[in-house]
Coordinates of all heavy atoms in Angstrom, one line a residue:
F46 N -0.4 -19.2 -10.9 CA 0.0 -18.6 -9.6 C -1.1 -17.8 -9.0 O -1.5 -18.1 -7.7 CB 1.2 -17.7 -9.7 CG 2.4 -18.3 -9.5 CD1 3.4 -18.5 -10.7 CD2 3.0 -18.8 -8.3 CE1 4.6 -19.1 -10.6 CE2 4.2 -19.4 -8.2 CZ 5.1 -19.6 -9.3
T47 N -1.8 -17.1 -9.7 CA -2.9 -16.2 -9.0 C -4.0 -17.2 -8.6 O -4.7 -17.0 -7.5 CB -3.5 -15.2 -10.0 OG1 -3.9 -15.8 -11.1 CG2 -2.5 -14.2 -10.2
T48 N -4.4 -18.3 -9.3 CA -5.4 -19.2 -9.0 C -5.0 -20.0 -7.6 O -5.9 -20.1 -6.8 CB -5.7 -20.1 -10.1 OG1 -6.1 -19.2 -11.3 CG2 -7.0 -20.9 -9.8
L49 N -3.8 -20.6 -7.8 CA -3.4 -21.5 -6.7 C -3.2 -20.6 -5.4 O -3.6 -21.1 -4.2 CB -2.3 -22.3 -7.0 CG -2.5 -23.4 -8.2 CD1 -1.1 -23.9 -8.4 CD2 -3.5 -24.4 -7.7
S50 N -2.6 -19.5 -5.5 CA -2.4 -18.7 -4.2 C -3.6 -18.2 -3.8 O -3.8 -18.0 -2.5 CB -1.4 -17.5 -4.5 OG -1.8 -16.6 -5.6
S51 N -4.6 -17.8 -4.6 CA -5.9 -17.3 -4.1 C -6.6 -18.4 -3.3 O -7.3 -18.2 -2.4 CB -6.8 -16.9 -5.2 OG -6.2 -15.7 -6.0
A52 N -6.6 -19.7 -3.8 CA -7.3 -20.7 -3.1 C -6.6 -20.9 -1.7 O -7.3 -21.2 -0.7 CB -7.0 -22.1 -4.0
T53 N -5.2 -20.8 -1.6 CA -4.5 -20.9 -0.4 C -4.9 -19.7 0.5 O -4.9 -19.9 1.8 CB -3.1 -20.9 -0.5 OG1 -2.8 -21.9 -1.5 CG2 -2.3 -21.3 0.6
A54 N -5.2 -18.5 -0.1 CA -5.5 -17.4 0.7 C -6.8 -17.5 1.3 O -7.1 -17.0 2.4 CB -5.5 -16.1 -0.2
Y55 N -7.7 -18.3 0.8 CA -9.0 -18.5 1.4 C -8.7 -19.2 2.9 O -9.3 -18.7 3.8 CB -9.9 -19.4 0.6 CG -11.2 -20.0 1.2 CD1 -12.1 -19.1 1.5 CD2 -11.0 -21.3 1.8 CE1 -13.3 -19.6 2.2 CE2 -12.3 -21.9 2.5 CZ -13.3 -20.9 2.7 OH -14.4 -21.4 3.3
F56 N -7.9 -20.1 2.8 CA -7.6 -20.8 4.1 C -6.9 -20.0 5.2 O -7.1 -20.0 6.4 CB -6.9 -22.1 3.9 CG -7.7 -23.2 3.2 CD1 -7.3 -23.4 1.7 CD2 -8.7 -23.8 3.7 CE1 -8.0 -24.2 1.0 CE2 -9.6 -24.6 2.9 CZ -9.1 -24.9 1.5
I57 N -5.9 -19.1 4.6 CA -5.2 -18.2 5.5 C -6.3 -17.2 6.1 O -6.3 -16.8 7.2 CB -4.1 -17.4 4.8 CG1 -3.0 -18.5 4.4 CG2 -3.6 -16.2 5.6 CD1 -2.0 -17.9 3.5
D58 N -7.2 -16.6 5.2 CA -8.1 -15.6 5.6 C -9.2 -16.3 6.5 O -9.6 -15.3 7.5 CB -8.8 -14.9 4.4 CG -7.9 -14.1 3.6 OD1 -6.8 -13.8 4.2 OD2 -8.2 -13.7 2.5
S59 N -9.6 -17.4 6.5 CA -10.5 -17.9 7.3 C -9.9 -18.3 8.6 O -10.7 -18.3 9.6 CB -11.2 -19.2 6.8 OG -10.1 -20.2 6.5
I60 N -8.6 -18.6 8.7 CA -8.0 -18.9 10.1 C -7.6 -17.5 10.8 O -7.8 -17.5 12.0 CB -6.8 -19.8 9.9 CG1 -7.2 -21.1 9.3 CG2 -6.0 -19.9 11.1 CD1 -6.1 -22.0 8.8
L61 N -7.0 -16.7 10.0 CA -6.6 -15.4 10.8 C -7.5 -14.3 10.9 O -8.4 -14.1 10.0 CB -5.4 -14.9 10.0 CG -4.0 -15.6 9.9 CD1 -3.1 -14.9 9.1 CD2 -3.5 -15.8 11.3
P62 N -7.5 -13.7 12.0 CA -8.4 -12.5 12.3 C -7.8 -11.3 11.4 O -6.7 -11.4 11.1 CB -8.4 -12.2 13.7 CG -7.0 -12.8 14.3 CD -6.9 -14.0 13.4
A63 N -8.8 -10.3 11.2 CA -8.4 -9.2 10.2 C -7.4 -8.5 11.0 O -6.6 -7.6 10.2 CB -9.7 -8.3 9.9
S64 N -7.1 -8.4 12.3 CA -6.3 -7.5 13.0 C -4.9 -7.8 12.8 O -3.9 -7.1 13.2 CB -6.6 -7.6 14.4 OG -6.6 -8.8 15.0
V65 N -4.6 -9.1 12.2 CA -3.2 -9.4 12.1 C -2.7 -9.4 10.7 O -2.3 -10.4 10.1 CB -2.8 -10.9 12.7 CG1 -2.9 -10.8 14.2 CG2 -3.8 -11.9 12.1
S66 N -2.7 -8.3 10.1 CA -2.6 -8.1 8.6 C -1.1 -8.3 8.3 O -0.7 -8.7 7.3 CB -3.0 -6.8 8.1 OG -2.2 -5.7 8.9
E67 N -0.1 -8.0 9.2 CA 1.4 -8.2 9.0 C 1.6 -9.7 8.9 O 2.4 -10.1 8.1 CB 2.2 -7.7 10.1 CG 2.0 -6.2 10.4 CD 0.9 -5.7 11.2 OE1 0.2 -6.5 11.8 OE2 0.5 -4.5 11.1
L68 N 1.0 -10.5 9.7 CA 1.2 -12.0 9.6 C 0.6 -12.5 8.4 O 1.1 -13.3 7.6 CB 0.6 -12.7 10.9 CG 0.7 -14.2 10.8 CD1 2.2 -14.5 11.0 CD2 0.0 -14.7 12.1
R69 N -0.4 -11.9 7.8 CA -1.0 -12.3 6.7 C -0.2 -12.0 5.4 O 0.0 -12.9 4.5 CB -2.5 -11.6 6.6 CG -3.1 -12.0 5.2 CD -4.5 -11.3 5.1 NE -5.4 -12.2 5.9 CZ -6.2 -11.6 6.9 NH1 -6.2 -10.2 7.1 NH2 -6.9 -12.5 7.7
L70 N 0.5 -10.9 5.4 CA 1.5 -10.6 4.4 C 2.7 -11.7 4.5 O 3.0 -12.1 3.2 CB 2.0 -9.2 4.6 CG 3.2 -8.7 3.8 CD1 2.8 -8.7 2.4 CD2 3.9 -7.5 4.3
L71 N 3.1 -12.1 5.5 CA 4.2 -13.0 5.6 C 3.6 -14.4 5.0 O 4.4 -15.0 4.4 CB 4.7 -13.2 7.0 CG 5.5 -12.0 7.5 CD1 5.8 -12.1 9.1 CD2 6.8 -11.8 6.7
L72 N 2.5 -14.8 5.4 CA 1.9 -16.0 5.0 C 1.6 -15.9 3.5 O 1.9 -17.0 2.8 CB 0.7 -16.4 5.7 CG 1.0 -16.7 7.2 CD1 -0.5 -16.9 8.0 CD2 1.7 -18.0 7.5
Y73 N 1.2 -15.0 3.0 CA 1.0 -14.9 1.6 C 2.3 -15.0 0.8 O 2.4 -15.7 -0.1 CB 0.3 -13.5 1.1 CG -1.1 -13.3 1.4 CD1 -1.6 -12.1 1.3 CD2 -1.9 -14.3 1.9 CE1 -3.0 -11.9 1.6 CE2 -3.2 -14.2 2.1 CZ -3.8 -12.9 2.1 OH -5.1 -12.8 2.2
T74 N 3.3 -14.4 1.2 CA 4.7 -14.4 0.7 C 5.3 -15.8 0.7 O 5.7 -16.3 -0.1 CB 5.6 -13.3 1.3 OG1 5.0 -12.2 1.2 CG2 7.0 -13.4 0.6
A75 N 4.9 -16.5 2.0 CA 5.4 -17.8 2.1 C 4.7 -18.7 1.1 O 5.3 -19.7 0.5 CB 5.2 -18.2 3.5
V76 N 3.4 -18.5 0.9 CA 2.6 -19.3 0.1 C 3.1 -19.2 -1.3 O 3.3 -20.2 -2.0 CB 1.1 -18.9 0.0 CG1 0.3 -19.5 -1.0 CG2 0.5 -19.6 1.4
I77 N 3.4 -18.0 -1.8 CA 3.8 -17.8 -3.3 C 5.2 -18.5 -3.3 O 5.5 -19.2 -4.3 CB 4.0 -16.4 -3.6 CG1 2.5 -15.8 -3.6 CG2 4.7 -16.1 -4.9 CD1 2.4 -14.3 -3.6
G78 N 6.1 -18.4 -2.2 CA 7.4 -19.1 -2.2 C 7.3 -20.4 -2.4 O 8.0 -21.2 -3.1
V79 N 6.3 -21.2 -1.6 CA 6.2 -22.6 -1.7 C 5.7 -23.0 -3.0 O 6.0 -24.0 -3.7 CB 5.2 -23.0 -0.6 CG1 4.7 -24.5 -0.8 CG2 5.9 -22.8 0.8
L80 N 4.8 -22.2 -3.6 CA 4.3 -22.6 -4.9 C 5.3 -22.4 -5.9 O 5.3 -23.1 -6.9 CB 3.1 -21.7 -5.4 CG 1.7 -21.9 -4.7 CD1 0.8 -20.7 -5.0 CD2 1.2 -23.3 -5.1
Y81 N 6.1 -21.4 -5.8 CA 7.4 -21.2 -6.7 C 8.3 -22.5 -6.7 O 8.6 -23.0 -7.8 CB 8.0 -20.1 -6.3 CG 9.4 -19.8 -6.8 CD1 9.5 -19.4 -8.3 CD2 10.6 -20.0 -6.1 CE1 10.8 -19.1 -8.8 CE2 11.9 -19.7 -6.7 CZ 11.9 -19.3 -8.1 OH 13.1 -19.1 -8.7
I82 N 8.5 -23.1 -5.6 CA 9.4 -24.1 -5.6 C 8.7 -25.5 -5.9 O 9.3 -26.2 -6.7 CB 9.8 -24.4 -4.0 CG1 10.8 -23.3 -3.5 CG2 10.4 -25.7 -3.8 CD1 11.0 -23.2 -2.0
I83 N 7.3 -25.5 -5.7 CA 6.7 -26.7 -6.2 C 6.6 -26.6 -7.8 O 6.7 -27.7 -8.4 CB 5.3 -26.7 -5.6 CG1 5.3 -27.1 -4.1 CG2 4.3 -27.6 -6.5 CD1 3.9 -26.9 -3.4
M84 N 6.3 -25.5 -8.4 CA 6.2 -25.5 -9.8 C 7.6 -25.7 -10.4 O 7.7 -26.4 -11.4 CB 5.7 -24.1 -10.2 CG 4.2 -23.9 -10.1 SD 3.5 -22.5 -10.8 CE 3.7 -22.9 -12.5
L85 N 8.7 -25.1 -9.9 CA 10.0 -25.5 -10.4 C 10.3 -27.0 -10.2 O 10.8 -27.6 -11.3 CB 11.1 -24.8 -9.6 CG 11.2 -23.2 -10.1 CD1 12.2 -22.6 -9.1 CD2 11.6 -23.0 -11.5
T86 N 9.9 -27.5 -9.2 CA 10.1 -29.0 -9.1 C 9.4 -29.9 -10.0 O 10.0 -30.8 -10.5 CB 9.9 -29.4 -7.6 OG1 10.8 -28.6 -6.6 CG2 10.2 -30.8 -7.2
V87 N 8.1 -29.6 -10.1 CA 7.3 -30.3 -10.8 C 7.7 -30.2 -12.3 O 7.7 -31.0 -13.2 CB 5.8 -29.9 -10.8 CG1 4.8 -30.4 -11.8 CG2 5.2 -30.3 -9.4
S88 N 7.9 -29.0 -12.9 CA 8.4 -28.8 -14.2 C 9.7 -29.4 -14.4 O 10.0 -29.9 -15.7 CB 8.3 -27.3 -14.6 OG 9.4 -26.6 -13.9
Y89 N 10.6 -29.5 -13.5 CA 11.8 -30.2 -13.5 C 11.8 -31.7 -13.9 O 12.2 -32.2 -14.9 CB 12.8 -29.9 -12.5 CG 14.1 -30.6 -12.6 CD1 15.1 -30.2 -13.5 CD2 14.3 -31.9 -11.9 CE1 16.2 -31.0 -13.5 CE2 15.6 -32.6 -12.1 CZ 16.5 -32.0 -12.9 OH 17.7 -32.6 -13.0
F90 N 10.8 -32.3 -13.1 CA 10.6 -33.7 -13.2 C 9.7 -34.2 -14.3 O 9.9 -35.3 -15.0 CB 10.1 -34.3 -11.8 CG 11.2 -34.4 -10.8 CD1 11.1 -33.5 -9.6 CD2 12.3 -35.1 -10.9 CE1 12.2 -33.6 -8.8 CE2 13.4 -35.2 -10.0 CZ 13.1 -34.3 -8.9
V91 N 8.7 -33.1 -14.7 CA 7.9 -33.6 -15.7 C 8.5 -33.4 -17.1 O 8.3 -34.2 -18.0 CB 6.6 -32.7 -15.7 CG1 5.7 -32.8 -17.0 CG2 5.8 -33.1 -14.5
G92 N 9.2 -32.3 -17.3 CA 9.8 -32.1 -18.6 C 11.3 -31.6 -18.5 O 11.5 -30.3 -18.6
K93 N 12.2 -32.5 -18.3 CA 13.6 -32.1 -18.0 C 14.1 -31.5 -19.4 O 15.0 -30.5 -19.2 CB 14.4 -33.3 -17.7 CG 14.2 -33.7 -16.4 CD 15.0 -34.9 -16.0 CE 14.7 -35.4 -14.6 NZ 15.5 -36.6 -14.2
N94 N 13.6 -31.9 -20.5 CA 14.1 -31.2 -21.8 C 13.7 -29.8 -22.0 O 14.4 -29.2 -22.8 CB 14.0 -32.2 -23.0 CG 12.6 -32.6 -22.9 OD1 11.8 -32.6 -22.0 ND2 12.1 -33.2 -24.1
W95 N 12.5 -29.5 -21.5 CA 12.1 -28.2 -21.7 C 12.1 -27.2 -20.5 O 11.8 -26.1 -20.5 CB 10.8 -28.0 -22.4 CG 9.7 -28.8 -21.7 CD1 9.4 -30.0 -21.9 CD2 8.9 -28.4 -20.4 NE1 8.4 -30.5 -21.2 CE2 8.1 -29.4 -20.3 CE3 8.7 -27.2 -19.8 CZ2 7.1 -29.5 -19.2 CZ3 7.8 -27.2 -18.7 CH2 7.0 -28.3 -18.5
F96 N 12.8 -27.7 -19.4 CA 12.7 -27.0 -18.2 C 13.6 -25.7 -18.2 O 13.3 -24.7 -17.6 CB 13.4 -28.0 -17.1 CG 13.6 -27.4 -15.7 CD1 12.5 -27.0 -15.0 CD2 14.9 -27.0 -15.2 CE1 12.7 -26.2 -13.7 CE2 15.1 -26.3 -14.1 CZ 14.1 -26.0 -13.3
A97 N 14.8 -25.8 -18.9 CA 15.6 -24.7 -19.1 C 14.9 -23.6 -19.7 O 15.1 -22.4 -19.3 CB 17.0 -25.2 -19.9
D98 N 14.0 -23.8 -20.6 CA 13.2 -22.7 -21.3 C 12.1 -22.1 -20.6 O 11.8 -21.0 -20.5 CB 12.8 -23.2 -22.7 CG 13.8 -23.4 -23.7 OD1 14.9 -22.8 -23.6 OD2 13.7 -24.2 -24.6
F99 N 11.5 -23.1 -19.8 CA 10.3 -22.8 -19.1 C 10.6 -22.2 -17.7 O 9.7 -21.4 -17.2 CB 9.4 -24.1 -18.8 CG 8.1 -23.8 -18.3 CD1 7.2 -23.2 -19.1 CD2 7.7 -24.2 -17.0 CE1 5.8 -23.0 -18.6 CE2 6.4 -24.0 -16.6 CZ 5.5 -23.4 -17.2
R100 N 11.6 -22.5 -17.1 CA 11.9 -22.0 -15.7 C 11.9 -20.5 -15.6 O 11.6 -19.8 -14.7 CB 13.1 -22.5 -15.1 CG 14.5 -22.0 -15.8 CD 15.5 -22.7 -15.1 NE 16.8 -22.2 -15.7 CZ 17.9 -22.7 -15.6 NH1 18.1 -23.6 -14.8 NH2 19.0 -22.3 -16.3
K101 N 12.4 -19.8 -16.7 CA 12.4 -18.3 -16.7 C 10.9 -17.7 -16.6 O 10.8 -16.7 -16.0 CB 13.0 -17.8 -18.1 CG 12.3 -18.0 -19.3 CD 13.0 -17.3 -20.5 CE 12.2 -17.6 -21.7 NZ 13.0 -17.2 -23.0
Y102 N 10.0 -18.4 -17.2 CA 8.7 -17.9 -16.9 C 8.1 -18.0 -15.5 O 7.4 -17.2 -15.0 CB 7.6 -18.7 -17.8 CG 8.2 -18.5 -19.3 CD1 8.4 -19.6 -20.0 CD2 8.1 -17.3 -19.9 CE1 8.9 -19.4 -21.4 CE2 8.4 -17.1 -21.2 CZ 8.7 -18.2 -21.9 OH 9.1 -18.0 -23.3
I103 N 8.6 -19.1 -14.9 CA 8.3 -19.4 -13.5 C 8.9 -18.2 -12.6 O 8.3 -17.7 -11.6 CB 8.6 -20.8 -13.0 CG1 7.8 -21.8 -13.7 CG2 8.4 -20.8 -11.3 CD1 8.2 -23.3 -13.4
H104 N 10.2 -17.9 -13.0 CA 11.0 -16.9 -12.2 C 10.3 -15.5 -12.3 O 10.2 -14.9 -11.2 CB 12.4 -16.8 -12.7 CG 13.2 -18.1 -12.4 ND1 13.1 -18.8 -11.4 CD2 14.1 -18.7 -13.1 CE1 14.1 -19.9 -11.4 NE2 14.6 -19.8 -12.5
V105 N 10.0 -15.2 -13.5 CA 9.4 -13.7 -13.5 C 7.9 -13.7 -13.2 O 7.4 -12.6 -12.9 CB 9.6 -13.2 -15.0 CG1 11.0 -13.0 -15.4 CG2 8.7 -14.0 -16.0
S106 N 7.3 -14.9 -13.1 CA 5.9 -14.8 -12.9 C 5.7 -15.0 -11.2 O 4.6 -14.4 -10.8 CB 5.1 -15.9 -13.4 OG 5.2 -15.6 -14.8
A107 N 6.4 -15.6 -10.5 CA 6.0 -16.1 -9.2 C 6.0 -14.8 -8.1 O 5.1 -14.6 -7.4 CB 7.1 -17.0 -8.6
F108 N 7.0 -14.0 -8.2 CA 6.9 -12.8 -7.4 C 6.6 -11.6 -8.1 O 7.0 -10.6 -7.7 CB 8.4 -12.7 -6.6 CG 8.6 -14.0 -5.8 CD1 9.4 -14.9 -6.2 CD2 8.1 -14.1 -4.5 CE1 9.6 -16.1 -5.6 CE2 8.2 -15.3 -3.8 CZ 9.0 -16.3 -4.3
N109 N 5.7 -11.7 -9.0 CA 5.3 -10.5 -9.7 C 4.3 -9.7 -8.9 O 3.5 -10.4 -8.2 CB 4.6 -11.0 -11.1 CG 4.1 -9.8 -11.9 OD1 3.2 -9.3 -11.7 ND2 4.7 -9.7 -13.0
C110 N 4.2 -8.5 -9.0 CA 3.2 -7.7 -8.2 C 1.7 -8.1 -8.6 O 0.9 -7.9 -7.8 CB 3.4 -6.2 -8.3 SG 3.2 -5.7 -10.1
A111 N 1.5 -8.7 -9.7 CA 0.1 -9.1 -10.2 C -0.3 -10.2 -9.2 O -1.6 -10.3 -8.8 CB 0.1 -9.6 -11.6

Side-chain angles (χ1 to χ4, degrees):
F46 269 108
T47 57
T48 305
L49 293 177
S50 60
S51 296
T53 310
Y55 168 76
F56 297 108
I57 293 171
D58 291 348
S59 62
I60 293 170
L61 289 179
S64 61
V65 288
S66 60
E67 296 82 17
L68 183 58
R69 181 172 282 127
L70 170 64
L71 290 173
L72 289 174
Y73 286 170
T74 306
V76 163
I77 293 170
V79 168
L80 286 173
Y81 170 73
I82 292 168
I83 290 171
M84 285 192 69
L85 282 174
T86 305
V87 167
S88 64
Y89 177 77
F90 287 113
V91 169
K93 290 182 182 180
N94 46 344
W95 52 266
F96 175 73
D98 292 333
F99 189 70
R100 70 178 176 194
K101 69 180 176 183
Y102 301 115
I103 295 172
H104 294 321
V105 299
S106 300
F108 298 100
N109 184 288
C110 61

